Amino acid sequence: MTLEKLFAPGSVAVIGASRTPGKVGYDILKNLVESGFGGPIVPVNPAGGEILGQKVYKRLADYDQTVDLVVIVLPSQLVLEAAREAVAKGAGGVVVISAGFKEVGDEGRKREKELADIVRRGGARMLGPNCLGLINTATHLNASFAGRMPEPGSIAVFSQSGALCTAMLDMAAQRHLGLSKLVSIGNKADITEVDLLRALADDEDTSVIVGYLEDISSGDHFVKAAERACLKKPVILLKSGTTAAGRKAAASHTGVLAGAETAYGAAFKRSGVCRADTFDALFDYATALDMQPLPRGKRVLIITNAGGPGTMAADAVEKIGLEVAVLDRNTTTALRARLPASASVGNPVDVLGDADPDRYVAALEAAQEDESVDAILVLLTPQAMTKPVETARAIAASLDGSKPVLASFMGGKDVLPGRQELAAAGLPDYESPERAVSALKAMYDYNVWRRRPPRQVTRYPVNRRRVERIISRRQRTGQLQLSEVKSKDILKAYGFHIMDGSLAGSVNEAIEIARFIGFPVAMKIVSPNIIHKTDLGGVRLGLSSAQEVEDAYDLMMLRISKQVPDAVIEGVYVEKMADPGLEVIIGMTRDPQFGPMLMFGLGGIFVEVMKDVTFHLAPITREEAVQMLKSTRSYEMLKGKRGRKEVDIDAIAGSLQRISQLTTDFPQIIELDINPLIVGEIGTVPTAADARMTLAPAKNIPSPR
Amino acid sequence: MTLEKLFAPGSVAVIGASRTPGKVGYDILKNLVESGFGGPIVPVNPAGGEILGQKVYKRLADYDQTVDLVVIVLPSQLVLEAAREAVAKGAGGVVVISAGFKEVGDEGRKREKELADIVRRGGARMLGPNCLGLINTATHLNASFAGRMPEPGSIAVFSQSGALCTAMLDMAAQRHLGLSKLVSIGNKADITEVDLLRALADDEDTSVIVGYLEDISSGDHFVKAAERACLKKPVILLKSGTTAAGRKAAASHTGVLAGAETAYGAAFKRSGVCRADTFDALFDYATALDMQPLPRGKRVLIITNAGGPGTMAADAVEKIGLEVAVLDRNTTTALRARLPASASVGNPVDVLGDADPDRYVAALEAAQEDESVDAILVLLTPQAMTKPVETARAIAASLDGSKPVLASFMGGKDVLPGRQELAAAGLPDYESPERAVSALKAMYDYNVWRRRPPRQVTRYPVNRRRVERIISRRQRTGQLQLSEVKSKDILKAYGFHIMDGSLAGSVNEAIEIARFIGFPVAMKIVSPNIIHKTDLGGVRLGLSSAQEVEDAYDLMMLRISKQVPDAVIEGVYVEKMADPGLEVIIGMTRDPQFGPMLMFGLGGIFVEVMKDVTFHLAPITREEAVQMLKSTRSYEMLKGKRGRKEVDIDAIAGSLQRISQLTTDFPQIIELDINPLIVGEIGTVPTAADARMTLAPAKNIPSPR
């Protein structure tokens, strides 16, 4: 682990140790002493003396050995000096418990920056400030002021909220869950979620990572670290808080449609993170992923001692997108032989209200052997003959580890001893069938992500130089809204098909161009001051004669001059009409954290009324692009509907990949819409019929991903 | 209560009482004796003697007094005779615990029917067979073999699954919830959920009704009984099981789009039932509704001792459709005076990690006084200085009952004593903020339903006789699929606007009709053998000259004769084209349980691709019809979009009300589509441009609702 000195220090000092119970400086020392930490513990307090049987040093410098980890519990004004002492003493890890930094305003923010600099220059890593500390059960280290030491186990927990740290610790205690580490990351001045994802991914004591986050420090690093971690072990995150900042002013459809949480959703999906939507779900999922193997597929068998709960569970399985398994004939035969005649051997398998542990075992054994079952859900209700404890023991003893088995012992007081037995035996147990099914779904989704094909991003041959020239010229002149014509120039350089067309400066020129490229044509106003051309009557389609072109030109000029008298008109773009086809919209908006987010949706009402769009982080693979199309509600339209033939889905995926390449190559592009992209039947090339881009100001170019 | 003798008997007999612990006949007697029931208990067993200190009678007849309630615990073959003895003895209530009836096949079904007849003829009411029995805490009656007697309280529970009865009883015990009644309704041979809804609505000991159902015996009675109950107290139901039976063969769009659970959803919505989607939710909602007043609005204030959980709760509030309250300026001033300077006095109100009970009380008192707060959510995480028990007590003591207060003390072991304190004080507490917010939403929705304006169904003047004649003729001849022309005749009789048109038997006749009614016209094939006219080229629109009519007619005949050579062609319907407008679809499909279900959706892709439709039980009020429109995702389209003006929403609501009246008047109509109904701007009359109906066979007319 890269955070070795924090998690496995040889010695620990507490600067600000106190002799007053109830003070944080006392609680931390007490936790350190009582957790059974093996190395020297060095309390520091100007008063000296002895606390909890440990000799107190007046200054850290007075201790004659080096110290690996230094915990600082002082008023914020004194923290910087203490940090200097810590690094002077050779500490590799510093934990700053004290508050009074970034969270209290500008002065605190400055102090926090200084603190981080001191620690970094000293070659150490720092947790906090404004945190609860950390716990490592493997090294018996409790360098926190949490109220309890967790049981050892393999779930690692980190949290941006110290309060949730304690709540999770308390919940783990109640559920008898063992933890490997607990880390309160506080203000994240040095160590962030990215460092922890990296360290915990490599931590052999940890099999599941659970985290609570309110923001993410670096989107790019986060995605990379999370993806790397998810390849090794499941990562479950609860992300709260909505930050709509900076999105309101979007000029593109794509920008407007990207909600505040869209980027986080896309980042989690990309990197394989299992997102918990509720506090309950964090440990519901963690327990299952920690204790049980992943399901190979989505077919669930339900074993129950009552019909009602079985039906409820089957409802939940179908609602969440898993399947009720159809048992193999051999299994039903085996079940019939081992269960009473009136038992139901379908799915749910009903072992009846008077079921003893043996019947549960019979059903479980048969289900474990059945190749058409991927996961098993065992339900128990407390009836007259029910023996929750014995049943729990018998079930636990019959697990062969071949597929996940989850339980829901429903009820309260009477089933509690059975539930505790399950927990002790490593069998995840839930208060309701629905929660067990949600956990199964999380396991299934994680396995699907794990087994996805290797990501391979296509690189198309493009004319990158041409785009560079256009962009740098525009950034120099400050014309950051690209017109349709300029946007299409860029798209053309990246392999998009654009209809023939040219800019006309007069009505005669327009007619001439139309005759040259051939009717029917479209005409669109070109002006840096006009973004929403259609709204102002600046777009005319399907003009099929010189007369129509002339009429349209004159009318357009008349209208525009009335409505936007100050607009600088560069001319009118005359373009050959594209063949009719299905109109889709593809776009990109750049998230401040996660970089380019691609969007796909069907055009017209699907986008405008139904908001039926999907997002994905760039760069994107072909499979991911196709998945984007499939995850819209209107996907059916692409497959042919209402008398229209199937459109070329691969061609749309290709267009998304090209936009992915363009916006990854050019961080200067901050928004882009192709609306519509007109898509034809299989084998045809889509046409970018209208386009719009926004560039970042020259000085403010986001760094490339 | 109408089930007086069941719930408050003067005396109870147990036929089949047993002296063997573990047997149901022993458990029931034991429960009766130990629950403290005040009247005589009469065990009956041919062996005689004494059990649990009670004299055993060899036959019920040997007991010389009358008996109010008789519990039967015998093998199913002996139950009928015992039931006869019970009614002979004057019993008003019979509880049949024994299984071996409807659930075991035809013979059992026959036996069950006979049993019900015996009881009814004897003037008694029966619970079961195949049930767990019943409990009434108010009369200290435990006539069940459940493992425990609940604490007295005001939540009544009934369940179609005995196993869920015991699970709910067990869960109530763990949550320290008191129950008024627990009723296992088993096979529902006599007493059904309808009887219980009626009885529990009138039961003064019950303030909330909780139920689990797998099916409903009589949709119509259910809706009436549930609505009546919901006007008095909240009813929370969990309905499991999906019965897609009988829907697959639907000929109408409406029939196809009505999912298996659509009717239950519509019935619950109509009658004010709060539907729990999970087992957890049943008691989550019941606790809140039982213990706290209803919120007047949707504005929620969050009080927390940590930022993270506060943000999570605010996220949940917005996601579920409630609002984060904006505090009155007086409140923030008051809070600033009573809380530390660094506390946040926005919403969430953050009383800080070291909050003592006083700070919670300060925040709570201010929030209770603020008119811009409708509900309060109190969050607590276990931090170093946190006192869960004292905080719980202080919060409970400050409640003024003016608005609902819910809590989530997050964590496990450390907060448990605090949670128990809350439960004892009648303050609902949840493991996570999200679950608390769901419960608040249930309370809010129930209050909205309670405060809705009185239902008033409009009766339009219609030509009912004309419809009667058409339908009875068709039922006589067995032509149950009504053509467009006949369907429109019926619609016209119920006040729909239909374009002028007439049936043509030849091409010349078609031209003549077109000239008479005026171009442009539509032409549609009329044949009892052709339902999907469009698919076979049997519809041509917008024909604007005699030549076009002639061409269309000839082509139609040519195509149809090739594709459906055996079709009987009645002619071609020539109709004036409706003015263009927005196309919507309205329809009806008749649910076997709940009768006519009305559907609304926007036409075309909205229905076909997006399945964006809503259902409502007929008869429908104007408000309900408007609500149907509003609850589609595409409602925005009706308000004007993409250059179109707002359409006449009242006119669509009126059309739905007319269909409601038609299908309530005529149970013979089992399916109906008006697709499209063309709707114009405000002040215009919509046109039923195409329609289709299916009648029930004459002998199989569903009874009117």
Side-chain angles (χ1 to χ4, degrees), chain B residues 30-37 139-143 149:
Chain B
K30 183 159 178 281
N31 279 339
L32 267 173
V33 172
E34 292 185 353
S35 60
F37 175 66
T139 56
H140 303 283
L141 174 75
N142 186 344
M149 181 79 177

Side-chain angles (χ1 to χ4, degrees), chain A residues 91-148:
Chain A
V94 176
V95 176
V96 180
I97 304 291
S98 321
F101 291 87
K102 183 173 77 176
E103 78 281 7
V104 299
D106 283 344
E107 199 185 327
R109 188 182 308 272
K110 216 180 112 207
R111 187 157 51 219
E112 182 166 315
K113 200 181 162 309
E114 227 173 302
L115 172 62
D117 287 344
I118 291 166
V119 175
R120 278 192 204 122
R121 274 199 309 268
R125 298 301 307 264
M126 175 178 67
L127 201 62
N130 191 20
C131 77
L132 190 82
L134 68 97
I135 294 174
N136 182 359
T137 54
T139 57
H140 302 283
L141 174 75
N142 186 346
S144 81
F145 63 100
R148 54 172 66 249

Side-chain angles (χ1 to χ4, degrees), chain A residues 18-32:
Chain A
S18 161
R19 64 185 69 255
T20 315
K23 283 208 161 189
V24 175
Y26 174 87
D27 289 346
I28 289 187
L29 190 64
K30 183 159 176 282
N31 278 340
L32 267 172

